[in-house]
Amino acid sequence: MPRDQRQTLWGKLVLLLQDVLQELPEERREEGMEVEAAADPKHVMAVVDGVTLVASASLNVLQEGDSYSALLETAHRLHAVLESLPVSEAPLQIHILTLCEAWWKKSLKEKEKFGRTAFLVSLQKSLTVKKPGVEIQRVWSLHDVLLSLDFTSEDNKQAADMLLQCFQFPNFIKNDDGKRFLVFLFSWDVGFIPMIHGTVKNELEFYSKTKTAHITEIYFRAWKKASGDFLEQIESVCVQDLMRSAILLSRTSPVFDKVRQIVNYFHKKKSCPRVEKMLYNLYKPILWRALSAPNFEVRANAALLFAEAFPIHDPEQNCSNIDETIQKQLDTAMELLNDSHPTVRSSATLGVCKILAKCWELFPPTIITDFLKKMMELATDSSSADVRCSVFKSLPIVLENALSHPILEKLLPTLKYSLHDSSEKVRAAFVDVLIKGKEVRALKFWDVCNTDHLLARLAIDTHPVSKRIVDLLFKSFFPVSEPEREWCCRCITLIQMNPMAARKFYHYAAQHTASSNILNLMLAIRRVLNSCIQKDNDLSEINDSNKENSAADPLLDAVTVARLLEVVVILWKTVEKALKRNEDARNYMFAKFGNVMSKYFQAFEDEQCTAPLIQLASFMPPAAVPTFSCGVLSRLRRMDSGAAPAQYSQLLHCMCSWGLCADVLELITDWLSEALPKHGDKANTNRKVRIQETVEAKPDLALTYLEYLFNHTSTREKVLSVGEGPLKQLHTVLGNWQSVLYSHLSSASQDPKRPEVETALRVFMYHGRLSAHLQHNFSEGRDYLLSTERVASWVAEEVLPFMAKPVSHDDSEDSEKTQRLAAKITESFLTVCRDVILVGLADKAFTDQILHLCLLTLVSDAGYLCVPAVLHILKEVATDALVPVENEQDLENQEDPTSLNLGVVAKIFQVIIELLARRLRKEPEEGKQLCQAAVPGLADFLQVAQTWGREPLCGVFSTLFAVIIVEKTHLLQKMSHPEEMITPESVEDMPPLSSVLLSVILKSPCVTRAFLSEVSSTLDSEDISSLNNLAAILHVLAVIKHTGQSKASLKSAAASVQQQLHKHAFTCNDSRDIPRVLYESSVKTLNEILDL
């Protein structure tokens, strides 16, 4: 298009744009324009968009010498439109921005205005859109616009803020164009560099490790490109500040590791002479001073930086000066190894090992030897396990350098006893050194540490050390590349060397090899076991082949056979999950072991073999071991009542794993039912007809089985999966035993046909426990809670009357026994109720009834015997009633059920304290024993009570305060001589009950503060004003003062005493007057508390 036509076009564009903009609605009109009639906004925007596209195309054909004043006016008008465009006109906005960007790149008139707009809008969009890649690219393409902006101008303050936000924006930091732009920002203005660094430091805490690595790269590239004032500013404000922070920051700081990461990046670039020169200049004023700082943490941090940057020297120096500098630094490293603080020695150890690994070939042998000898010395540093651990954690770094292997191969055996170090982390680090030496083929671990020692440690050590030893020894005792026969031979060798270590080794073996290898080892052991019984039994039907069972297989003793069976069991457990996922492999293993189990049971009759054989049978279905599975229930039935857990535990596991829990429950139910006293012979006859194998009922053994089943998670789940029917039947039988308990209560005479009282008590306990399990697993209502409530009523109506005093002295002995039994029954039931509340099964009706039972128990004559059990109930009720602070208004409502329950709790607690006081007065020795028994329950309850800090549980602390003050006041009132006035210093100096209560209170700082708060509030209310009471309070405060707890609350309470005490000032001259002595002693104690 000719020039004249272009200019005519541009002139008409201006007129068209002017006319169409006048048709915009008033709110979208350019300021100063007049409008006659509103047009369709969509039509207007379409015309504006067309004008923009033509203007942009015109820039592409603009030639030198063209007059583009009309085009400039068009650009101005479009620029004004851009500022008022709504979000819905995003395409038009992009077209106008493209025009502004092209105007800047063409370097046309007033390009700064258009370039600034395009840059700022793109920058803003890059920080707000979800996928800012294109916008970041546009920002980078316009980065030169920044050079035309004045950093100090107020107009550009918003731009500076957005630029700083880029350092917080992950997409900018990770994007290549974003990185280039951020690096460029360091060269915008010298004054902007501190702002960038401040922003990065503030955000560093929230950077991930990856994000920190990107920021580090940006810093380094900015430094590398900088020169002049910019370079000086980056080095002093940024890099040196990071170095200083790496030295001064605490290691617990959330930014410590990230600062170290940034500084270490510069250390890794030391191969560049310019970086080396920079490190030398920046470290010179700070590092050497820090290495001798008084603060050990500063020295330790500086030691790490020193080691990472070593050698720190000026590359422009001559060789002799460099050698001298390096020698001084080596001397400094040796001094750090001798530092007085273990943290510094640990850091220096790591640092020296890094130096040796990096510069081994550059050092003379004497220096290397000196450092390694010092390492060996620090490896046995008895003053610090951290230092010893640091040595062994650092030595693998040295082993990375092949030149170190010959000398370390000679030195490491001197440290062999570190395997038995008292510190777990030292032992683990030592084994890591052996593993590293094995990996790099630097040494033979058995030359450093004898295999017997490694196995001995494996047998007894913790998981972190044991798994490392298995890693070290795995190829020795499980050579996967060797034939399977060799695996088995190594297994037998390991068993004979150390059976316990063998168990541990094969427990971790599955972590080091495939499950298929584990299965193959199990089958190899099976073949060896088969060969052991082949000479006495025809195993042709179970042998895999003649080759598998050749005469070369060893004949083993019974102990080794038992250990091999244990290994098979351990290995099976490790691959049990894998077998469940592979049905074919599982069936194959069932078939292989199933067809030899009966032979094993016949041949391996030793007691040590029986347990693993039973456990092995439990892994398989009962059909795979028919001979054994058919006799398990009979063995359980014939078991003696006093059998040890080892005799029946595996049998019970077998029954559960086979899904035969119902048979065990039936046996338990039958025994407990038969043991109940029968009426007439008919029942006995029926029972004999039903049970073919006549065995006498064993209720104690039945309870032992039941206890085992419910105390182990795996068996409990199997039992509960049986369903409600059998368990409900068992529950009914257990409940019938209440009659046996009642017969023991009501009749003191011995009846040989009646079950023992201990058995009946155990049945009573398990009836309650089973009720809880049934309620939790099967009841949607409260069926079994009702059952427990009926038992509570039975205890209240039938048991508690027996806790009364004997009517006459003639039957006092029998009555005392009955009292004790009634107390045991009640205590057992309350223990069950505590557990029901603890697991969240109790509702308000249940809690109310149990609290009522607690109150009835305490008011009975022998109720004091149940105090510990009642305290545990109170604790659980109070815990269950805890609610968030938001519900405080509900708590203040007197009709609230929670408040009512807690009011009863506070009342019962008061009764308990009165009982303890009464018992101490009547029977001091028995009272002290009762108080000691109540201490755990008191401590737990008060810990819960102090969390409320409001009614009604704050009355608990009122009760405590009152009883302590009353007891101490009573003691002061009995004082007849001034010499008897002694201020107590510990709880042992207080009266008996006060001593116990204070010892409980002072165990917890929170409870102590709650108690002191009660003291202050009581004194402020002026309910206490007598001198004796105030003296008693001061004696309590003196005891608390000597513990050093709650100083602020203590002084607050003492200040409240001071306000009351001045009213009792005495002016009489008789210094032996008791009130005067009491007053003076109180003033002295008060001054000591207030530090006057």
Side-chain angles (χ1 to χ4, degrees), residues 5 59 62 80 177 186 198 245 276 300 327 369 372 499 518 574 767 823 834 908 927 1007 1017 1036 1086 1090:
Q5 291 181 0
L59 289 181
L62 189 66
D177 286 330
F186 281 88
S245 297
E276 197 167 28
Q327 184 58 51
T369 304
L372 288 179
I518 300 294
T574 62
H767 177 255
R834 177 203 64 187
I908 293 174
V1007 175
S1017 61
V1036 173
L1086 182 62
L1090 294 173

Side-chain angles (χ1 to χ4, degrees), residues 817-832:
K817 288 182 180 179
T818 304
Q819 270 189 343
R820 297 281 177 179
L821 176 57
K824 278 185 180 181
I825 295 170
T826 307
E827 191 174 15
S828 299
F829 180 69
L830 292 178
T831 302
V832 171

Side-chain angles (χ1 to χ4, degrees), residues 1019-1020 1037 1050-1060 1086 1090:
L1019 287 166
D1020 292 342
L1037 298 183
L1050 180 65
K1051 289 194 175 184
S1052 175
S1056 299
V1057 175
Q1058 190 179 34
Q1059 293 176 6
Q1060 302 289 337
L1086 182 62
L1090 294 173

Side-chain angles (χ1 to χ4, degrees), residues 558-668:
V559 174
T560 305
V561 168
R563 300 292 178 261
L564 282 172
L565 288 169
E566 288 175 359
V567 168
V568 173
V569 169
I570 291 168
L571 291 173
W572 196 304
K573 285 182 179 179
T574 62
V575 294
E576 196 168 11
K577 290 182 179 178
L579 286 175
K580 287 180 179 177
R581 293 192 296 267
N582 190 330
E583 190 73 24
D584 292 339
R586 184 170 61 165
N587 291 335
Y588 182 77
M589 295 301 288
F590 287 163
K592 282 293 182 183
F593 279 93
N595 65 2
V596 296
M597 286 300 293
S598 59
K599 299 288 186 181
Y600 286 175
F601 275 110
Q602 291 174 13
F604 306 137
E605 295 179 344
D606 189 271
E607 187 177 346
Q608 296 182 70
C609 298
T610 304
L613 280 174
I614 294 174
Q615 202 164 358
L616 190 58
S618 71
F619 297 145
M620 294 179 274
V625 282
T627 307
F628 172 72
S629 60
C630 291
V632 171
L633 190 62
S634 295
R635 291 178 67 174
L636 286 171
R637 187 178 285 114
R638 292 194 302 269
M639 197 76 64
D640 294 332
S641 292
Q647 295 176 268
Y648 58 79
S649 57
Q650 297 301 331
L651 297 175
L652 290 174
H653 276 286
C654 276
M655 296 296 288
C656 290
S657 63
W658 294 337
L660 301 176
C661 290
D663 294 345
V664 180
L665 288 178
E666 184 181 0
L667 174 63
I668 293 170

